[in-house]
Amino acid sequence: MTFAQERDFKTENFIIKLAWEILNAHPLMKFTVILILCFPIIFMLTVILLLFGQKPDSLIRAFTETYKQGFSQWDYKCENVECGGHYLCSVAANGHTALVKPQRWGIRHGHDIICNRQLLISNAFEDLLQENLPFLHKNIRKQYDKVGDLIIKKYDIFNNKYFSDFIYIIMKPLEWFFVLTLYTFDKNPENRIAKQYISASDRQEMNKN
């Protein structure tokens, strides 16, 4: 029993009493509640970053905004998960366009994939992690690939647009965390985000300029 639990703490202040109860709760419950309470703060910080943050360099923006033109004319379908990668975000990008807001086509392992901002941010976060903490990235990637195995086995379920919408929504908190990390540790986070899922040759050409 902790010192705090041994003390006979009494207060008439509801907020202080609630905070006391949270701090003395089971660790799993405690951290879950604290995480939920932090969501509004994370959301507001993300909004501030997106409103007042930087944009990709003009050259990068001109290139990626027209990458594989004709996106809006394609009747796309869920084919992202066939070649691995960010499985959950790839599924989410196949939801209804009004919600998931696909931006452009991308290339992964020689296949065309649908890229929305959530997917680009997630891959940029992994790119940053691999660049700075390769050993940590390797372990996380190994565990996440197990999720991909499940998705591939249940392909028909994940091909449903409403299910993709649901995945997109529940992935939002992680997307906010990835944005905060990128803006904190990357000098040009929007450049890194914009460069995701383009061919190796196109990326080399872009990096020359």
Side-chain angles (χ1 to χ4, degrees), residues 92-142:
N94 289 279
H96 290 91
T97 57
L99 177 66
V100 305
K101 297 180 174 61
Q103 295 183 346
R104 62 172 172 84
W105 287 104
I107 297 177
R108 182 170 58 206
H109 303 316
H111 295 272
D112 291 329
I113 62 167
I114 302 161
C115 294
N116 65 347
R117 184 166 175 82
Q118 185 179 81
L119 177 58
L120 295 172
I121 286 172
S122 299
N123 206 59
F125 171 80
E126 181 177 0
D127 191 44
L128 179 69
L129 192 64
Q130 185 175 22
E131 184 178 292
N132 294 279
L133 298 169
F135 294 106
L136 177 60
H137 167 263
K138 183 178 179 180
N139 290 327
I140 293 175
R141 183 77 251 181
K142 183 178 180 180

Side-chain angles (χ1 to χ4, degrees), residues 124-168:
F125 171 80
E126 181 177 0
D127 191 44
L128 179 69
L129 192 64
Q130 185 175 22
E131 184 178 292
N132 294 279
L133 298 169
F135 294 106
L136 177 60
H137 167 263
K138 183 178 179 180
N139 290 327
I140 293 175
R141 183 77 251 181
K142 183 178 180 180
Q143 296 303 315
Y144 191 51
D145 282 342
K146 294 179 180 178
V147 177
D149 292 338
L150 174 63
I151 290 177
I152 292 171
K153 290 177 182 177
K154 304 293 183 181
Y155 183 82
D156 290 339
I157 297 175
F158 294 106
N159 197 28
N160 183 284
K161 283 190 177 294
Y162 289 101
F163 190 85
S164 294
D165 292 344
F166 173 72
I167 296 296
Y168 173 81

Side-chain angles (χ1 to χ4, degrees), residues 56-65 205-209:
D57 293 341
S58 58
L59 183 65
I60 294 176
R61 194 162 64 248
F63 183 85
T64 56
E65 286 178 356
E205 188 65 30
M206 189 182 299
N207 289 335
K208 289 180 183 177
N209 300 302

Side-chain angles (χ1 to χ4, degrees), residues 9-25:
F9 180 80
K10 293 181 180 179
T11 180
E12 297 297 324
N13 189 301
F14 173 76
I15 296 178
I16 296 177
K17 185 176 180 180
L18 180 61
W20 183 264
E21 292 293 333
I22 293 174
L23 290 174
N24 286 282

